[in-house]
Amino acid sequence: MTTPSLLLLLAITTLSSLPTLQSFALRPPTTRQLRLPHRPSSRSFSSFSGRHNRQPHLHRSSLRFAKPGDVDNGNDNDNDGTVDEYRNIATAFLSNFLQPQNTNRNGDNDDNDSGAPSATATATTTTARATSREILSKIDFQATKAPKMPIETLASILDRELYEKEWFVTGNVNPIYFDDKFKFQDPDVKVTGVEEYAKGVQKIFDQTTSRAQIISTLPSATAPNTITVTWRLSGRVNIGPSGLPIKPYICYTDFTIDEESGLIVFQEDRFDIPGWDILISALFPFLVGRVGFLREAAEEVEERVFDDEDVV
């Protein structure tokens, strides 16, 4: 067994045995939570069939969303980004360690004294959650859709909005650019609907530290009706009592544009490092830069300046 495999096994064993995590009741995944991998559709592997030859060896893997049926105590009317299904055992297992949302409508934290974080950490987290919930509550998911436009124009608009809102981690999406049939899928999870997607990313990413720094948003040179966003992910995810750090890495998001409506109908994320590297770096951050099999953190992204005259 290779060193990465041993560390990954150790990571999962550690997570399942930590006394401080016993309040996160581990339950066997239900049939709806876990569907063992089946023969994928040709679309699932479209990014490996020649569409993105200029970016080889990219890895599509993520852990972003709440457990199916997970109910948020902070809002009786939303379930914080329920996934349609978990598609592998590791993701279904790790989803049990997702921090519960215990913030009520007034932004007060309802955690009891058992295993509760420090007062300062709780106050910061509560403020961040209240702010993010306020942002999501102001999004009109029934808004009139944007008219069809040239893909170059749509890419330019998305580039500016993504740079300002960083909705890949904040969930602060603009629904007017998304088709009602929008789906998100990767090897770990499958999500239907832009509202569920927005709630999911808002829940999994720590809103005080996480960044989605946009590098570029351009029509694909090889895939028709596709816009590719290149961005740097950093911050923390809300897994475990105090969260886990994200070693910064580069992501590639492919938006498939519906030919008739001109709206985003499908999204798929690809990463420049494998999932095991992401997990080991999060659980054992002191190894980054000291062992050869882990990638270094992605370099900082330079601040961009937009010309207001170019904004549509």
Side-chain angles (χ1 to χ4, degrees):
M1 185 177 290
T2 63
T3 301
S5 299
L6 287 171
L7 284 173
L8 187 57
L9 178 62
L10 176 61
I12 294 176
T13 304
T14 301
L15 276 173
S16 62
S17 61
L18 280 177
T20 55
L21 296 181
Q22 290 179 357
S23 60
F24 296 86
L26 294 178
R27 303 179 296 277
T30 64
T31 302
R32 184 168 181 262
Q33 280 179 284
L34 173 60
R35 298 178 187 174
L36 293 177
H38 54 278
R39 183 176 180 180
S41 65
S42 59
R43 187 175 192 180
S44 299
F45 289 88
S46 57
S47 62
F48 292 103
S49 61
R51 299 177 33 170
H52 303 286
N53 292 332
R54 59 195 177 92
Q55 295 165 342
H57 307 301
L58 300 178
H59 306 270
R60 301 178 299 166
S61 179
S62 67
L63 178 65
R64 293 188 168 188
F65 300 94
K67 297 183 288 296
D70 206 7
V71 177
D72 174 13
N73 295 330
N75 191 326
D76 295 333
N77 297 319
D78 70 42
N79 49 12
D80 283 319
T82 302
V83 301
D84 294 342
E85 66 180 66
Y86 288 108
R87 307 184 70 197
N88 62 62
I89 294 174
T91 305
F93 173 77
L94 289 173
S95 70
N96 288 286
F97 298 100
L98 195 62
Q99 291 178 3
Q101 295 274 21
N102 293 325
T103 307
N104 61 34
R105 286 193 177 91
N106 297 321
D108 299 320
N109 192 282
D110 296 329
D111 286 339
N112 57 32
D113 292 334
S114 177
S118 67
T120 301
T122 300
T124 302
T125 302
T126 301
T127 300
R129 286 177 177 170
T131 301
S132 59
R133 288 176 184 285
E134 183 180 353
I135 290 173
L136 290 180
S137 69
K138 292 180 179 179
I139 298 176
D140 182 5
F141 288 99
Q142 305 304 319
T144 302
K145 301 300 183 182
K148 186 176 180 180
M149 64 188 78
I151 194 169
E152 294 81 8
T153 302
L154 179 59
S156 178
I157 293 174
L158 291 173
D159 187 50
R160 179 66 177 264
E161 290 210 27
L162 282 165
Y163 186 84
E164 294 179 345
K165 298 180 179 179
E166 301 188 23
W167 75 51
F168 292 144
V169 296
T170 65
N172 189 16
V173 302
N174 191 339
I176 69 172
Y177 305 119
F178 289 84
D179 194 282
D180 289 336
K181 302 185 294 292
F182 171 78
K183 292 180 181 293
F184 173 88
Q185 178 179 321
D186 68 13
D188 296 326
V189 296
K190 181 186 293 186
V191 176
T192 299
V194 67
E195 184 172 1
E196 294 301 317
Y197 170 80
K199 292 174 181 176
V201 296
Q202 182 273 324
K203 181 174 184 178
I204 187 63
F205 289 108
D206 172 35
Q207 297 301 303
T208 62
T209 61
S210 297
R211 298 292 311 278
Q213 296 170 283
I214 307 302
I215 299 171
S216 66
T217 307
L218 299 168
S220 172
T222 57
N225 303 317
T226 301
I227 294 173
T228 298
V229 186
T230 303
W231 52 288
R232 179 182 186 265
L233 174 64
S234 61
R236 300 181 71 84
V237 289
N238 295 318
I239 295 177
S242 57
L244 291 175
I246 300 171
K247 177 180 66 177
Y249 58 92
I250 300 299
C251 306
Y252 304 92
T253 292
D254 295 319
F255 287 133
T256 300
I257 310 303
D258 184 80
E259 194 167 1
E260 293 184 5
S261 68
L263 301 172
I264 301 169
V265 72
F266 186 72
Q267 174 181 335
E268 183 171 28
D269 292 352
R270 301 173 288 120
F271 310 132
D272 71 344
I273 59 176
W276 58 261
D277 189 320
I278 297 171
L279 179 59
I280 292 175
S281 298
L283 293 169
F284 309 103
F286 56 88
L287 293 178
V288 179
R290 297 186 178 182
V291 293
F293 58 81
L294 292 179
R295 296 269 195 92
E296 296 285 350
E299 294 182 359
E300 292 285 346
V301 175
E302 292 185 7
E303 184 177 352
R304 298 168 58 194
V305 178
F306 289 86
D307 185 350
D308 289 337
E309 294 180 0
D310 294 335
V311 179
V312 179

